[in-house]
Amino acid sequence: MHVAVINVGDEILAGDTTNTNATWLCDRLDERGVDVERVAVVPDRIADIARLVNEYRAEYDAVIVTGGLGPTHDDVTMDGVAAAFGREVERNPDAVEWLVEHGGYERDDLVEGTSHLPAGARVLHNDVGVAPGCVVDDEVYVLPGVPPEMKGMFEQVAEEFAGERTHTVVVTVDEPESALLDRLGDLRERFDVGVGSYPGEYVRVKLKDADSEAVEAAAEWLSERVDVVETEER
Amino acid sequence: MHVAVINVGDEILAGDTTNTNATWLCDRLDERGVDVERVAVVPDRIADIARLVNEYRAEYDAVIVTGGLGPTHDDVTMDGVAAAFGREVERNPDAVEWLVEHGGYERDDLVEGTSHLPAGARVLHNDVGVAPGCVVDDEVYVLPGVPPEMKGMFEQVAEEFAGERTHTVVVTVDEPESALLDRLGDLRERFDVGVGSYPGEYVRVKLKDADSEAVEAAAEWLSERVDVVETEER
């Protein structure tokens, strides 16, 4: 399963906010064996959101959109997704009922727009906040931009994201990356597993494959030939 | 000036790394009055990088690409950018000279590929690490993925990114966002400045414009009408 993540928010593009929503979603999807092929951050502009949602839903199996939901002036995420499908946003009866029953709101107290979703969308209730998210045509998932609301809502649909569980071993090595090139080259020739190396204080060599035994064998082979700081299974 | 940022890296898409490079670049560009219109994360795949670089250089004034540089197997950033321009990567004489003079390397010790850049590129030396970055046709800037190397290299070209300096005041308010809607609506009608509201523990209301007096006036008007926790000038 191949997925794209779109994060809507001027505050991310201005560097005021770090996009930890993307990190969290990518990590949860990776745990489920789903490949995230793109993460894109777009401004709070309906046309930009609509264009990217359409580009990605044509290319990937599913698109997860996070951004401002609800009635605030700059919460245009739902409008952008609706525009991508050529639909209106409309007051969603299920969303209103849920807010009245679980949110303790009076129908008339609900600010106009609080429960507006693209026509025909499946509502996702917001256990942490107020404004609901939704799923459109079982391919575009719209979640809140506020992290705790986003996480709670994703867990409601996590089961809908599934792929081949991959096994990962990260070998942290205390040698300069340039010195490891030959051994990493040999490793790639000998073992049919994904190999990535990420320099930092130490070099983290990440071995990844659906075949856990192949990953273990590659990790063992490498560990015998480099200066290992630690080995971590995931 | 409108800019796009592309971050190359499977480790970001797997949720192993938070994309703090994008946050830092967006913040520095915002300080310089430059609008970042897109941030996109792509896998370590030459074709994906080439496609996105071409899409963005056609649409924006400049593109900043960060990712793995140098001779490692999965450092394909330079190859992707070169492919976008239909050029080869080739050993860059300036890069080699600099590494020999400042890096204390012997010509023959330099691992093949360490100083390879797209043909005709302007070299950006790496004061912190080894592998150089570059600028292609004064529109695509290629920087390392390792944060300290990326930051040092960006500062070498920061002057090439300039726009209208914007003035920003962030008013932190201790009221639920839904309660603020009317006052934020009035604020937008009365003042011709950018208004964004970002809920969290408190609601941060960001006022932004090139006209500092307009921003100050809007901040003062708002502060007299909401429960202010703090006011921050930027």
Side-chain angles (χ1 to χ4, degrees), chain B residues 114-132:
Chain B
T114 303
S115 52
H116 276 50
L117 302 177
R122 185 203 336 163
V123 62
L124 298 176
H125 302 304
N126 192 333
D127 295 318
V128 180
V130 179

Side-chain angles (χ1 to χ4, degrees), chain A residues 89-93 96 107-108 110-113 115-117:
Chain A
V89 292
E90 57 185 30
R91 189 167 182 127
N92 182 291
V96 175
R107 246 173 211 70
D108 304 340
L110 284 173
V111 180
E112 183 67 16
S115 52
H116 276 49
L117 302 178

Side-chain angles (χ1 to χ4, degrees), chain A residues 173-174 199-203:
Chain A
V173 181
D174 186 12
E201 184 186 358
Y202 299 112
V203 176

Side-chain angles (χ1 to χ4, degrees), chain A residues 56-160:
Chain A
Y56 286 172
R57 74 187 174 107
E59 191 149 2
Y60 307 110
D61 302 313
V63 182
I64 300 176
V65 184
T66 74
L69 306 183
T72 312
H73 172 276
D74 56 1
D75 290 335
V76 296
T77 308
M78 279 299 172
D79 305 279
V81 172
F85 287 85
R87 300 182 193 173
E88 298 296 316
V89 292
E90 57 185 30
R91 189 167 182 127
N92 182 291
D94 298 348
V96 175
E97 285 312 314
W98 191 89
L99 283 167
V100 170
E101 279 178 32
H102 300 78
Y105 290 87
E106 294 299 327
R107 246 173 211 70
D108 304 340
D109 293 353
L110 284 173
V111 180
E112 183 67 16
T114 302
S115 52
H116 276 49
L117 302 178
R122 183 203 338 162
V123 61
L124 298 176
H125 301 304
N126 191 333
D127 295 320
V128 181
V130 178
C134 71
V135 186
V136 185
D137 289 9
D138 290 324
E139 65 176 357
V140 177
Y141 294 74
V142 188
L143 308 178
V146 180
E149 299 181 21
M150 182 278 294
K151 294 174 183 178
M153 204 175 284
F154 175 80
E155 297 303 349
Q156 296 174 33
V157 294
E159 296 296 321
E160 298 175 32

